[in-house]
Amino acid sequence: MSRRLFLCAALMLASLAGSARAGDWPQWMGPQRDGHAAPDSPAVVKLPPELKVLWRKKIGGGFSSPVVAGGKLVVFDENGQQEVVHLLDATTGAEVWSVPIGDVYKDEWGAGPRSTPLIDGDRVYVQSCKGEFRCLDMTAGSLIWGVSFEKDFGVKFLGSKANEGTSARRGNNGSAAVDGNDVIVNVGSTNGATLVCFDKHTGKIIWKAGHDEAAYSSPMVATLAGVKQVVSFTADALMGVDREHGTILWRVPLVTNSKRHAATPVILGDLVIVNSHTIGLVGTKIVQEGGVVKAVPLWKNKELKINLSTPVRVGDYLYDQGPGQTYVCADVRTGETKWQAPGFGTHGTENSSTIAVGKNLLVLTDAGELVLIETRSDQYTELSRVQVCGKNWNYPALAGSRLYVRDARELICYDLSP
């Protein structure tokens, strides 16, 4: 082989290796926690009647979603006695290590962990239903540091004995957020530790904030009204906490039936949008007046009673599972419903997970159907629909052209290449 051909081949292999690492899905709702695939992700324009399976692996139950980074995949399940985190080779599905995190939790909805892990460099952060939070080394799964919500913060897990739907009843579902050198966790203590900011390397407490119980939502870090803050949808309120010091900047009480706040806040500029079955879809504007940060009600759509799903924003519109077995589009500026389409989810447990990729949306329903939809605000346009897994409440992970989907029995890697 000539030197020129050798260099071309080397460059091609380097390019292929780089593309294999492109488009990681390292945390809850993707690279930016907003339901969008990485910008370099290949477009998905059509789904064949049967997707190509690259590998499949038997796993235990849980609503925890898979995460992928650098060719490594983390999945969190249960084995009947314990909740267990596994590291797999994302290309082959081969297991590298597994580590038990805590005793298994089970209710009428199923067994297993409900919080999605977070990969950050050479560490992975995991959280059990009963409030065991761990930072593990990605190489061997060894413990770097950990805390117990009950032992360290007095948050007792009650399970079905609790009367209302906080994380102490249905499991610690919310997923931690890493920002810089810190990790922010929904601990849910009413004694000043709704949110706790830890040094992500050592577990040292940087600050604690709030007196609300945690619901099932995940925190977001953003700059609103010129102030960097953590936005949290707790069991009783929507609030913003100063990112550096942990001071509560603003708080809007949102008391709802069963305190069932599962959606992650959607943030656009200084606008924060949340939803639940009781309040519908609510938009709140964050402003600063005289050096004081305030929350101002902007709009409310009481009819869009979105229960569990988090909307995904594309441009000026939100896309999400709607009330009942529908999928909806709403105007982010006014909350107005633009269209509503039937045929999504299982009656009584309706939930869908949306990924924006290119000009289209990939929607995984709780019935295990993968639906490809055009991102249009004027009308619902379905391009393809295919069955990919069983009943689930799990967000899929899209890394490059590979889609990782799980239910209570299997983890499956699909190839979405044209």
Side-chain angles (χ1 to χ4, degrees):
M1 180 184 291
S2 69
R3 178 177 174 81
R4 184 177 179 182
L5 286 175
F6 176 81
L7 288 173
C8 287
L11 287 171
M12 183 178 294
L13 287 172
S15 174
L16 288 172
S19 65
R21 293 191 297 270
D24 286 345
W25 192 274
Q27 62 179 329
W28 168 242
M29 291 189 71
Q32 303 300 320
R33 297 172 75 88
D34 60 2
H36 282 250
D40 57 357
S41 297
V44 182
V45 297
K46 187 178 181 181
L47 299 175
E50 291 188 14
L51 295 183
K52 181 180 179 181
V53 176
L54 297 179
W55 55 262
R56 60 202 316 153
K57 184 179 184 67
K58 290 184 178 179
I59 60 172
F63 303 141
S64 174
S65 302
V67 289
V68 184
K72 299 177 180 179
L73 182 147
V74 176
V75 65
F76 199 13
D77 68 357
E78 54 82 26
N79 61 14
Q81 287 79 40
Q82 294 179 306
E83 296 179 355
V84 183
V85 60
H86 308 262
L87 179 71
L88 310 181
D89 183 308
T91 303
T92 65
E95 184 167 294
V96 179
W97 53 255
S98 64
V99 176
I101 300 300
D103 293 339
V104 70
Y105 171 65
K106 181 179 181 180
D107 60 16
E108 67 270 32
W109 302 109
R114 300 174 180 189
S115 172
T116 295
L118 186 156
I119 299 174
D120 180 54
D122 58 359
R123 297 167 306 279
V124 58
Y125 300 89
V126 292
Q127 176 180 283
S128 75
C129 272
K130 295 184 177 181
E132 298 295 325
F133 187 84
R134 301 286 185 267
C135 172
L136 305 177
D137 171 62
M138 283 283 285
T139 303
S142 54
L143 177 67
I144 299 175
W145 62 268
V147 295
S148 165
F149 294 175
E150 181 171 350
K151 294 177 182 178
D152 298 313
F153 297 96
V155 185
K156 187 172 180 60
F157 185 76
L158 300 174
S160 58
K161 295 178 182 178
N163 294 322
E164 294 180 310
T166 64
S167 59
R169 182 187 185 196
R170 296 295 190 185
N172 289 275
N173 296 11
S175 296
V178 161
D179 182 58
N181 288 320
D182 301 332
V183 58
I184 298 103
V185 181
N186 280 335
V187 170
S189 169
T190 57
N191 293 317
T194 301
L195 292 175
V196 180
C197 177
F198 300 94
D199 181 303
K200 70 179 185 181
H201 300 287
T202 66
K204 177 185 175 182
I205 295 175
I206 306 300
W207 52 255
K208 299 182 288 185
H211 297 275
D212 294 353
E213 291 180 277
Y216 313 116
S217 176
S218 299
M220 292 290 287
V221 179
T223 298
L224 300 100
V227 180
K228 190 173 185 181
Q229 50 197 277
V230 181
V231 179
S232 176
F233 194 19
T234 74
D236 296 300
L238 176 65
M239 69 179 187
V241 177
D242 181 83
R243 169 63 187 88
E244 184 176 357
H245 304 292
T247 305
I248 296 179
L249 300 168
W250 52 270
R251 184 178 181 275
V252 180
L254 290 173
V255 180
T256 62
N257 293 348
S258 300
K259 301 184 177 183
R260 194 189 303 147
H261 296 164
T264 300
V266 176
I267 298 173
L268 171 60
D270 295 331
L271 176 63
V272 180
I273 301 168
V274 292
N275 57 271
S276 84
H277 183 266
T278 305
I279 63 176
L281 192 67
V282 177
T284 302
K285 186 82 170 180
I286 309 304
V287 301
Q288 187 171 170
E289 298 176 356
V292 178
V293 182
K294 299 180 179 180
V296 179
L298 191 62
W299 51 255
K300 182 179 292 186
N301 186 338
K302 293 183 178 180
E303 301 306 313
L304 276 187
K305 296 183 180 298
I306 303 170
N307 193 8
L308 302 175
S309 303
T310 298
V312 170
R313 181 187 69 85
V314 181
D316 290 330
Y317 299 95
L318 301 169
Y319 300 87
D320 197 12
Q321 172 80 41
Q325 295 169 272
T326 67
Y327 197 80
V328 299
C329 172
D331 193 317
V332 73
R333 298 160 295 187
T334 64
E336 175 191 6
T337 303
K338 302 302 292 184
W339 51 253
Q340 196 163 346
F344 284 79
T346 306
H347 178 66
T349 61
E350 298 91 345
N351 183 51
S352 293
S353 301
T354 300
I355 296 177
V357 52
K359 296 181 179 179
N360 296 326
L361 303 172
L362 278 171
V363 182
L364 179 66
T365 74
D366 64 11
E369 288 185 305
L370 186 66
V371 188
L372 185 66
I373 301 169
E374 280 191 23
T375 309
R376 296 182 59 170
S377 61
D378 58 335
Q379 66 179 31
Y380 172 77
T381 305
E382 184 173 312
L383 301 174
S384 315
R385 183 182 290 242
V386 60
Q387 191 77 34
V388 295
C389 64
K391 188 174 179 180
N392 73 95
W393 276 352
N394 306 96
Y395 224 104
L398 182 63
S401 60
R402 295 187 174 210
L403 185 73
Y404 300 88
V405 176
R406 70 160 292 186
D407 53 27
R409 298 171 299 174
E410 277 191 311
L411 172 66
I412 309 170
C413 175
Y414 287 108
D415 185 2
L416 297 187
S417 298

